Amino acid sequence: MKVIDAVKSRRSTRSFEQRTLPPEMIQEIENAILHSPSGSNAQESHFVIVQDEQQLRLIKRFAPGLSGDPAAVVVLCSNATESLIRGGIDTAEVLRFVNLGIAAAYILLIAHSNDIGNCPVRSFHRESIKKVLGLPEEIEPELLISLGYADMPPRSKTSKKVLEVISYDQYGNNH
Amino acid sequence: MTSMETTTKTADQILEQLRDYVAYTLTSAKGLYREPHSYGAMRMVDSMERALHLLQEAGIKDEALELALSAVRKERWRAMTDPQGFGRAIDDSVLGLVVLSINK
């Protein structure tokens, strides 16, 4: 699948088949993470790929936004300390979140291009997820991405009109 | 009609599901302080569904009640993208419950 096709056709999946992911798919996710760019090449983020049934259950318990029963969850974490050391103040304050957003997009598109349903989730209890995963103090969970085989076709997406979102050459210029 | 069926779940399994339910509801409550306004209705409906599922697992199921909730189940997907549509579905389910209450 071409990247542009993946971009256009990806939708959030909130209901999954009871089916595990093949090891190759996990490798693809690892590749997405490792090849994702980061500001100043700081590579300060950390990712926890969860497939263990009991761990998934505990994550779901404290993540109301996590719908369905995904086969895996990727927990995207920031690291303020390492951000400051490797990237400076701007990375510590802002870029570490931008970097995670870019990594998230890579993961979503790689998953979708392999026909794996996915959904980014922010509704979770941070401290609980931190405890469930045994994250060190300086590592903070920022976003979850659920992964699995969708058990129903995606719904259509409603987007704003292009002119509401994009300007040309100057803000508000529509042509 | 409310039916009592033989449960196939052990007490430990039901207890574990109860823990899922309590944690979900409590975590949802905390999330509402910072999450979009429309999430409140969605979390309440989801919490109710989980409670009904727990009762079902324990062998208690009310088919008339399930029928009254069909509208909100069908339109659940609108909760985030079309909150007003989801609101209308809740209305329909509430009206179903009114009919159920009057005819009881």
Side-chain angles (χ1 to χ4, degrees):
Chain A
M1 184 186 288
K2 286 185 177 177
V3 176
I4 187 62
D5 293 329
V7 168
K8 285 181 175 177
S9 59
R10 197 210 72 83
R11 300 286 180 273
S12 286
T13 297
R14 295 186 175 84
S15 183
F16 302 94
E17 291 179 6
Q18 287 196 323
R19 206 168 134 195
T20 57
L21 300 179
E24 307 82 65
M25 191 57 237
I26 299 302
Q27 281 179 356
E28 290 276 43
I29 297 299
E30 291 168 0
N31 283 331
I33 291 169
L34 294 175
H35 292 279
S36 169
S38 62
S40 309
N41 197 27
Q43 300 182 56
E44 78 289 345
S45 309
H46 192 86
F47 303 82
V48 184
I49 300 173
V50 181
Q51 295 182 88
D52 176 79
E53 201 172 313
Q54 184 58 18
Q55 283 291 81
L56 287 173
R57 180 170 198 151
L58 289 178
I59 288 174
K60 268 180 64 76
R61 192 173 276 185
F62 298 101
L66 194 59
S67 303
D69 288 312
V73 170
V74 183
V75 184
L76 290 78
C77 308
S78 68
N79 183 336
T81 307
E82 196 171 340
S83 298
L84 186 61
I85 293 169
R86 294 175 64 92
I89 292 172
D90 192 36
T91 300
E93 288 182 349
V94 177
L95 260 181
R96 61 188 166 120
F97 303 113
V98 175
N99 293 338
L100 276 183
I102 296 169
Y106 273 45
I107 293 168
L108 297 175
L109 292 176
I110 284 286
H112 176 59
S113 66
N114 283 277
D115 293 323
I116 301 298
N118 52 78
C119 184
V121 175
R122 173 72 179 172
S123 295
F124 59 87
H125 193 263
R126 181 184 291 226
E127 286 303 312
S128 300
I129 295 300
K130 204 167 170 174
K131 284 186 189 305
V132 166
L133 299 175
L135 297 179
E137 182 60 31
E138 69 276 16
I139 308 279
E140 291 289 340
E142 305 289 356
L143 191 72
L144 313 179
I145 294 179
S146 56
L147 299 169
Y149 293 94
D151 69 356
M152 60 177 69
R155 295 186 184 279
S156 60
K157 183 178 182 178
T158 53
S159 298
K160 284 185 174 179
K161 292 176 181 171
V162 65
L163 297 182
E164 291 181 64
V165 181
I166 302 172
S167 297
Y168 301 92
D169 298 325
Q170 192 169 45
Y171 183 81
N173 193 356
N174 296 332
H175 50 79
Chain B
M1 182 197 301
T2 300
S3 62
M4 295 291 289
E5 299 161 9
T6 307
T7 178
T8 55
K9 296 275 182 179
T10 66
D12 281 348
Q13 286 171 320
I14 292 176
L15 184 60
E16 195 65 6
Q17 286 182 316
L18 186 60
R19 288 179 178 138
D20 289 341
Y21 168 70
V22 170
Y24 174 87
T25 306
L26 205 55
T27 310
S28 294
K30 177 63 173 72
L32 293 181
Y33 282 104
R34 292 172 62 91
E35 290 178 346
H37 176 73
S38 62
Y39 280 25
M42 180 175 65
R43 300 284 189 244
M44 285 192 77
V45 167
D46 281 355
S47 185
M48 174 201 69
E49 285 288 356
R50 284 164 186 252
L52 287 175
H53 185 67
L54 265 175
L55 288 172
Q56 194 174 349
E57 295 284 352
I60 301 170
K61 186 176 181 182
D62 188 322
E63 286 175 11
L65 185 59
E66 299 283 323
L67 187 64
L69 294 173
S70 60
V72 76
R73 286 194 173 116
K74 187 179 168 192
E75 304 297 329
R76 163 70 179 76
W77 65 277
R78 294 187 189 277
M80 284 185 289
T81 55
D82 178 17
Q84 289 182 327
F86 186 53
R88 286 192 295 274
I90 297 175
D91 267 341
D92 289 344
S93 282
V94 172
L95 291 173
L97 290 177
V98 170
V99 172
L100 190 65
S101 302
I102 291 171
N103 293 339
K104 190 172 181 182

